[in-house]
Amino acid sequence: MTVERHPSETPSGVRRFAAPFRYLRLVAPLPIGRDAEWAVPEEAPDERLRAPRRRVLPRHAAVGFIIPLLILIAWEAACRSGLAPRNLLPAPSAVLGALYDLARRGELLGHIGITLFRVFFGFLLGTIVGTVLGALTGYSSWWRRLLDPMLQALQNVPSIAWVPLFILWLGIFEASKVTLIAVGVFFPVYLNLMSGIQQVDRKLVEVGRIYGYSGFALVWRVLLPATLPFYVTGLRGGLGLGWMFVLAAEFMGASEGLGYLLIDGEQTGRPQIIIASILLFALLGKLSDLALVSVARHYTGWQDSFRAASEKQADVADQRRLETL
Amino acid sequence: MLQISGVSKRFEGGRGASVAALERVDLAVARGEIVSLVGTSGCGKSTLLRIVGGLDPPTTGRVRVAGRAVAGPSPDVGFIFQEPRLMPWLSVRQNAEFGLASLPREERALRSEAALTRVGLAAFADALPHHLSGGMAQRAAIARALVTRPSVLLLDEPFSALDAFTRISLQDHLLDIWREDRKTMLFVTHDIEEALVLSDRILVMRGRPGSVYREYAIDLPRPRRRADPFLIGLKESILDDLDLAAAALMAAGL
């Protein structure tokens, strides 16, 4: 059965009223008369509906320092004026002084060095295992069914819960600490790589097949590059967790490291030491992420991402603004 | 050049259900011939092209290219998809060289340079795909298909995602390429005008499972005028064929 409708048979009543109805609330009075039915009133665009105008703000990386600097100034001022109790919240200058003290006695580099060492090797180990298992479970649904449920369950175990077990198995020295960090790094790397591989565009894989790629060549030329953005996300998440797990690791019987420094500051009643190690964690975490991102950008710069697009758009907008001036 | 004999295709669904997509298709394409497959969606024309390209195996029947049975993708058969399908992480040049991995570097560079010049993209060789317009990206995909020097080009609605002007200019472009070395082309499209302007023969496919319903030979020299009365007459006729097909499907309650 076919239902054919000539254009003139469209239920014109509906259309005739439907179109002007949109303007009913916006424009008054309605155009009157038969010919005016389809006349679209010349309306001024509603300013409220416009896309918000981009503010002219500097886009330099230094912008990120504005708020921390303001906080530091306010904090120092609060301490100097006696508004904040000095024994609970030491002034930034006192924190700097404590850091300088540690540095002068040659302890600071040791603490930073051993923490960096642990994070680095934990990150390395976690990344290797996460990459192997993530690739396996992403590529083969059989391996995914075999391994993924167990790994997802283990992911929910809090980091501290591993501590006694690892000490028991691996001793209180570096092996147990590096392993704990590796566990933290493992999960984001594993999960992102697995889902990244599964999300690779089947159409690109097909192009690979057309040009005779299979097996390792297909992985190297198509799957790996297509997965890289997900993998980098996993690595960054893993590194972040690595920095969290290093603290847990250094809480358990360490005699050196930023985590130890923090505990030491607490036990000896020196809040400036606690704050100093927190700031060092923030600084080192950010720097290591920056290093990772700048290496990764070299390989993932092709992405047509939101970030790239929005920056491009901003440039176009600037251009336009210049032209209208 | 291209022989399709008795090709049928069934897709196995879950729980033993299966859908017939193609029913005993026979088709021979001579060297240098451009043949279009037109038909409503779901008539199996893309399925047929994928089988010819070695991407999917036929359920029955066989396909021969230059006398050799198709068992998988081959460098002798180029495939151009509806979407450009460029690797977004490779430059235009690297994309063009994608099918040449086994050749030495100088040879690759020579071939990709020639292909990109041929499609008018030499100036964009170092651009990334997301900087290209839709038409440029599709031209890059054509360059990628040309570098392996296939004797058969399979095109699966290659211009359907482009705007009308770009589409017409790329159709002309394809004819230019064809004029140079007379590649055999099998062209799937749902744009009847496109088929009329390009092809030596048009095969109208219809039905579920699809089969070749009617064949039109167009013995006009190229380039052809789109407003040619003969072509307009053919268009009417093909549209009738397809409308009948649609009506028959509805009557069958599909």
Side-chain angles (χ1 to χ4, degrees), chain A residues 1-3 202-213 221-223 225-227 299 301-304 308 312, chain B residues 50 54-55 73-74 77 79 81 83 85-90 94 98-99 101 128 130-131 144-145 148 247 250-251:
Chain A
M1 227 197 61
T2 62
V3 183
R202 190 186 52 81
K203 292 175 171 172
L204 294 184
V205 177
E206 208 165 74
V207 172
R209 278 182 56 210
I210 282 188
Y211 292 103
Y213 292 102
R221 290 297 303 269
V222 180
L223 286 175
T227 314
Y299 297 100
W302 51 269
Q303 273 184 100
D304 192 7
K312 212 190 304 166
Chain B
R50 292 176 60 85
L55 285 173
S74 120
V77 179
F79 209 114
F81 295 95
E83 325 81 15
R85 299 198 184 181
L86 302 172
M87 304 293 152
W89 54 88
L90 298 178
Q94 290 165 325
F98 189 75
L128 285 173
H130 71 262
H131 290 127
R144 178 176 64 190
T148 57
M250 278 199 188

Side-chain angles (χ1 to χ4, degrees), chain A residues 42-298:
Chain A
E42 187 128 348
E43 47 174 334
D46 187 341
E47 284 300 323
R48 291 167 304 171
L49 299 181
R50 260 181 203 227
R53 208 169 260 251
R54 237 188 114 87
R55 285 295 187 79
V56 190
L57 284 175
R59 282 200 305 278
H60 197 263
V63 170
F65 288 103
I66 293 177
I67 289 179
L69 270 178
L70 286 178
I71 291 175
L72 277 181
I73 292 169
W75 175 6
E76 183 77 36
C79 291
R80 299 225 165 184
S81 64
L83 219 62
R86 214 167 274 200
N87 58 335
L88 296 183
L89 183 66
S93 51
V95 174
L96 265 181
L99 275 175
Y100 177 73
D101 252 15
L102 280 170
R104 210 190 37 187
R105 276 183 281 144
E107 285 175 33
L108 186 63
L109 277 183
H111 289 306
I112 292 177
I114 191 74
T115 296
L116 280 177
F117 166 88
R118 287 165 185 153
V119 172
F120 178 80
F121 281 100
F123 180 68
L124 201 66
L125 186 64
T127 297
I128 291 171
V129 180
T131 304
V132 170
L133 293 188
L136 217 54
T137 52
Y139 201 64
S140 137
S141 58
W142 190 84
W143 280 99
R144 185 163 58 252
R145 279 195 291 273
L146 184 74
L147 291 176
D148 193 52
M150 176 188 73
L151 292 172
Q152 300 264 12
L154 286 178
Q155 192 199 355
N156 297 314
V157 177
S159 57
I160 304 285
W162 296 108
V163 171
L165 202 60
F166 286 167
I167 290 183
L168 192 67
W169 287 349
L170 301 163
I172 58 162
F173 298 109
E174 298 310 317
S176 58
K177 296 183 176 62
V178 168
T179 308
L180 183 71
I181 295 162
V183 168
V185 174
F186 168 81
F187 287 104
V189 175
Y190 164 77
L191 288 173
N192 280 285
L193 183 58
M194 177 178 71
S195 72
I197 292 177
Q198 289 175 271
Q199 283 174 55
V200 171
D201 192 350
R202 190 186 52 81
K203 292 175 171 172
L204 294 184
V205 177
E206 208 165 74
V207 172
R209 278 182 56 210
I210 282 188
Y211 292 103
Y213 292 102
S214 61
F216 178 74
L218 190 67
V219 170
W220 182 249
R221 290 297 303 269
V222 180
L223 286 175
L224 190 75
T227 314
L228 215 53
F230 297 93
Y231 190 52
V232 169
T233 306
L235 289 180
R236 290 182 69 184
L239 189 59
L241 276 185
W243 280 104
M244 290 192 190
F245 276 52
V246 78
L247 192 74
E250 288 176 347
F251 274 4
M252 59 185 197
S255 55
E256 234 186 336
L258 290 180
Y260 163 78
L261 198 63
L262 203 144
I263 295 284
D264 192 46
E266 185 216 339
Q267 284 171 349
T268 54
R270 290 180 298 168
Q272 64 271 31
I273 295 286
I274 301 178
I275 291 173
S277 38
I278 288 175
L279 289 180
L280 281 174
F281 268 119
L283 188 69
L284 291 175
K286 180 64 195 161
L287 285 179
S288 60
D289 184 59
L290 212 60
L292 188 63
V293 168
S294 56
V295 172
R297 186 169 295 155
H298 183 68

